[in-house]
Amino acid sequence: MEENNQTSSVEEKITFINELLKKNNISEAEKELKLIQATISSNEILNVYESKVNELIKQVELATSETDENEQLSNSTNEKNEKEKEKERKKESKQKSISYQHYTNERYGFSLKVPSNLKMAPPPTNGDGVRFYSEDFEVTAYGNHTNIISENETIETYYNEDLNSIPVNIAYKRLTANWYVLSYEQNGMITYKKFFFGNEVANTIIMTYPASEQSKYGNTVTHMIESFRSSAY
């Protein structure tokens, strides 16, 4: 009678442990397995359940291993995300630390913000534009009248002229009804040009910097382009 009670109790615990595993309650299943192992090892009559218990142990070890792998993957992903966020925060902080000076062209009416650390070249006598520069960065902005050299000019007139004059592959280009953008690399230098077209005047901004310094100047270029105010339209 006592033997039947012992075997019945072990079978019930094995069933209970299987239910815990189905519910993915690994830690509780592991505790129950340790108890049932102690019971079996102290009673020869219950040795017949050793193989079943060993199988359950393997399931627990496998489940634990998968959980650890998932946690490691999650931690790795979180760590990567945090590094990316920190990188973005540093970029934003660096961008905010750059002070800008405001420039307005009286003749053609355009304006933009330029990093204060850039030097300003002597302006041309006709007052059509300006050039700012440093050791490895340069920005030129200027205006001109349209429909002077030829009649019935369109934005495509200037766009096609630029495409035909650039001797290298253009990495990025976009044409709209009022402006176009061209960006390309030549001799290790990136050139970014944005042209604004109007019926009477056009405005142009061109920036050049080393391709190796893309991460350094990318945000600065974006900030200046966003600050540019054209009088063309």
Side-chain angles (χ1 to χ4, degrees), residues 191-207:
T191 296
Y192 183 100
K193 176 177 181 178
K194 189 166 185 178
F195 176 86
F196 302 84
F197 179 80
N199 291 327
E200 296 182 4
V201 299
N203 300 145
T204 303
I205 177 172
I206 302 173
M207 286 168 281

Side-chain angles (χ1 to χ4, degrees), residues 215-227:
S215 60
K216 177 180 178 180
Y217 290 116
N219 288 340
T220 302
V221 170
T222 299
H223 187 78
M224 283 194 290
I225 289 297
E226 289 177 348
S227 74

Side-chain angles (χ1 to χ4, degrees), residues 103 105 108 110-112 128-130 139-144 146 158 162 179-180 191-197 201-207 225 228-232:
Y103 170 82
N105 183 270
Y108 287 103
F110 63 85
S111 66
L112 74 155
D128 68 344
V130 66
V139 53
T140 303
Y142 57 90
N144 63 276
T146 56
Y158 292 86
D162 268 344
W179 54 265
Y180 65 79
T191 296
Y192 183 100
K193 176 177 181 178
K194 189 166 185 178
F195 176 86
F196 302 84
F197 179 80
V201 299
N203 300 145
T204 303
I205 177 172
I206 302 173
M207 286 168 281
I225 289 297
F228 196 93
R229 297 293 176 268
S230 173
S231 61

